[in-house]
Amino acid sequence: MAQNFRNYLTRNTGTSAVDALGGAANSYDTLISVRMANVTTSTIAVDVYLRRSSANYYLIKNAPIVSGGSLELIDGGSKIVLASGDQLYVQSDTASSLDTVVGAVDAIST
């Protein structure tokens, strides 16, 4: 069965949470990478969380990223399975400071 690999990009995220998947997962999807980069000249703190229904589940909270640095949230072959309707949010403590690239496999099973 062929897999549908996708990437999702968010740019200059700040203090308002942004849905890094551009909408809720439409099936059972799998996150294979979440890389965040600090695009400012100061250290920032970032949050990444899944929202299922109205509850938030943090993958990381208040993680520091130094100026010009990046953070790979999923590495070493690990994966995170999303249920249909899940949303992935990223947020920084500093305005217009965070770029995010998310890699996912869409529609693992339906």
Side-chain angles (χ1 to χ4, degrees), residues 2-101:
Q3 297 298 316
N4 298 317
F5 289 91
R6 306 271 188 244
N7 74 343
Y8 302 91
L9 308 172
T10 59
R11 186 167 183 242
N12 294 325
T13 300
T15 57
S16 297
V18 172
D19 184 353
L21 297 177
N26 60 1
S27 60
Y28 288 95
D29 300 340
T30 301
L31 296 177
I32 55 177
S33 66
V34 178
R35 179 173 295 268
M36 298 166 288
N38 179 349
V39 297
T40 69
T41 58
S42 301
T43 298
I44 63 173
V46 300
D47 297 338
V48 179
Y49 58 92
L50 291 175
R51 180 172 292 162
R52 181 172 292 168
S53 298
S54 60
N56 296 336
Y57 302 91
Y58 282 85
L59 302 176
I60 199 159
K61 184 161 180 63
N62 247 359
I65 304 176
V66 298
S67 174
S70 66
L71 173 63
E72 179 71 40
L73 190 57
I74 301 172
D75 61 3
S78 56
K79 297 165 186 61
I80 297 174
V81 177
L82 303 176
S84 186
D86 285 354
Q87 296 170 291
L88 178 72
Y89 284 93
V90 296
Q91 183 174 1
S92 172
D93 68 346
T94 304
S96 302
S97 61
L98 181 67
D99 286 0
T100 306
V101 179

